[in-house]
């Protein structure tokens, strides 16, 4: 404490200190409002995703989340339904034919992010 008290005083006058104080208060007020608006927007997105036909299904996916992940998956799916949804879940049908035999197997895979 003694070392801090012995430090030289700043050259900035009271006007500069008051201006910095006012600037910091303005930034805090702006950030509070921004956080409030983000919360409202997130609520609207979550409600809109839940109202979609596949919204509840996609929001139940592991690690999909209720807002960003589910909304992004639904945006990527678009109007494509069963096959694309199976592919997004990691199940891809792979037809194969060899000579006289034909069949379909499922490959289990997922995107690692």
């Amino acid at each position: 404490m003694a070392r801090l008290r012995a430090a030289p005083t700043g050259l900035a006058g009271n006007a500069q200190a008051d201006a910095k104080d006012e600037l910091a208060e303005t930034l805090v007020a702006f950030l509070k409002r921004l956080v409030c608006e983000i919360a409202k927007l997130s609520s609207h997105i979550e409600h809109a995703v839940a109202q979609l036909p596949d919204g509840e299904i996609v929001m139940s996916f592991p690690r999909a989340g209720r807002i960003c992940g589910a909304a992004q998956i639904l945006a990527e799916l678009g109007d494509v339904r069963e096959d694309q949804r199976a592919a997004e879940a990691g199940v891809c049908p792979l037809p194969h034919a060899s000579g006289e035999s034909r069949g379909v197997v499922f490959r289990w895979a997922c995107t690692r992010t």
Side-chain angles (χ1 to χ4, degrees), residues 10-98:
L11 299 176
N14 288 339
Q16 186 177 5
D18 291 342
K20 287 182 180 180
D21 185 40
E22 188 174 332
L23 179 63
E25 288 175 1
T26 303
L27 286 173
V28 167
F30 176 74
L31 289 175
K32 283 182 180 179
R33 174 142 185 199
L34 187 62
V35 167
C36 182
E37 292 298 318
I38 289 171
K40 280 198 265 183
L41 184 59
S42 297
S43 175
H44 289 304
I45 292 171
E46 184 174 354
H47 180 71
V49 169
Q51 296 301 316
L52 294 172
D54 297 331
E56 290 296 325
I57 294 170
V58 175
M59 284 194 290
S60 70
F61 286 175
R63 297 185 182 209
R66 299 194 61 83
I67 298 172
C68 294
Q72 182 179 2
I73 290 171
L74 286 172
E76 289 176 3
L77 286 176
D79 291 336
V80 179
R81 293 292 179 232
E82 298 302 322
D83 293 337
Q84 186 66 27
R85 194 178 318 142
E88 288 290 330
V91 182
C92 297
L94 296 173
H96 63 86
S98 174

